[in-house]
Amino acid sequence: MKDLSISRYPVPSLDSLPDDIRERILAVQEKARFIPNVFLTLAHRPAEFRAFFAYHDAIMEREGSTLSPAEKEMIIVATSAANGCQYCVVAHGALLRVFAKEPLLADQIAVNYLHAPISERQKAMLSFSLKLSRTPELIQDADYEALKAQGYDDEDILDITGITAFFGLSNRMAIVTNMQANTEFYTMAREPRA
């Protein structure tokens, strides 16, 4: 084990990890050209790593979801900002910039989605996500009706809910582990593509 100062907990070396976890991390590294620190931080507990990423994949890659990759990242950025999770705002802000092809959008949503240049439909989605994240006990029929008025159906609402709930967990794990965002995330997709 070596401490890479990316977590307050021990960070295992790649060669010490179970084969399935090491292979997943190396596949991510090949695609991204770096290893996001969330993978190394959570590898400290292999069983939890597997469960975490299995649920992540189930909600983020659900076949049939009508939410775009950018909209999923909007939910993550808005709720992570509300939860005070620096890692997720930085890392998923980068992914939002990539998917939306808008270099300013992640920052605008993190600060105040109501002033971001997004549709009223997306604002309704984020309003629900933030209410669910911050005051879930106040969710009521009117909240579902507001989403349905914007064209969301019950499956969409479950997608929004699953992403919000999962990243509530992720935010809390990142905060408690003192997970640090990779420097690559800070500058990723900041310049518009020609």
Side-chain angles (χ1 to χ4, degrees):
M1 302 292 228
K2 59 181 179 173
D3 181 1
L4 302 175
S5 299
I6 62 168
S7 172
R8 78 173 69 249
Y9 289 88
V11 177
S13 63
L14 282 177
D15 60 356
S16 72
L17 293 173
D19 290 344
D20 63 313
I21 293 175
R22 183 175 54 254
E23 288 169 13
R24 177 164 185 146
I25 291 173
L26 292 174
V28 168
Q29 181 181 33
E30 185 175 330
K31 184 176 180 180
R33 298 193 178 107
F34 66 97
I35 301 171
N37 290 338
V38 63
F39 289 90
L40 297 172
T41 298
L42 296 182
H44 173 64
R45 291 185 169 183
E48 292 173 32
F49 176 103
R50 290 181 186 105
F52 181 92
F53 285 107
Y55 193 64
H56 171 276
D57 295 350
I59 60 169
M60 296 300 286
E61 299 170 11
R62 187 182 76 77
E63 189 174 326
S65 177
T66 65
L67 300 181
S68 71
E71 288 170 330
K72 293 173 184 179
E73 296 298 336
M74 287 178 194
I75 294 168
I76 299 165
V77 169
T79 58
S80 296
N83 290 332
C85 181
Q86 181 178 337
Y87 182 91
C88 291
V89 170
V90 173
H92 289 278
L95 294 175
L96 175 53
R97 290 190 300 273
V98 169
F99 290 130
K101 296 178 178 52
E102 293 287 342
L104 306 180
L105 187 58
D107 298 321
Q108 293 164 329
I109 287 175
V111 172
N112 187 342
Y113 76 96
L114 293 171
H115 297 285
I118 58 177
S119 70
E120 290 305 312
R121 185 173 195 268
Q122 292 164 335
K123 286 179 183 178
M125 173 187 74
L126 295 181
S127 178
F128 181 84
S129 296
L130 286 163
K131 185 172 186 179
L132 181 61
S133 179
R134 304 300 281 175
T135 54
E137 73 280 8
L138 299 180
I139 295 289
Q140 55 190 313
D141 287 342
D143 298 304
Y144 305 115
E145 291 163 14
L147 287 173
K148 289 184 177 185
Q150 291 293 330
Y152 293 105
D153 65 19
D154 288 332
E155 294 300 318
D156 297 325
I157 294 169
L158 270 182
D159 286 342
I160 294 165
T161 299
I163 294 165
T164 301
F166 177 79
F167 281 92
L169 162 74
S170 182
N171 295 161
R172 285 151 180 83
M173 293 300 292
I175 289 167
V176 170
T177 60
N178 195 36
M179 194 182 305
Q180 298 301 303
N182 303 69
T183 56
E184 292 90 342
F185 283 130
Y186 286 93
T187 58
M188 185 183 294
R190 288 281 181 191
E191 294 294 323
R193 289 188 171 182

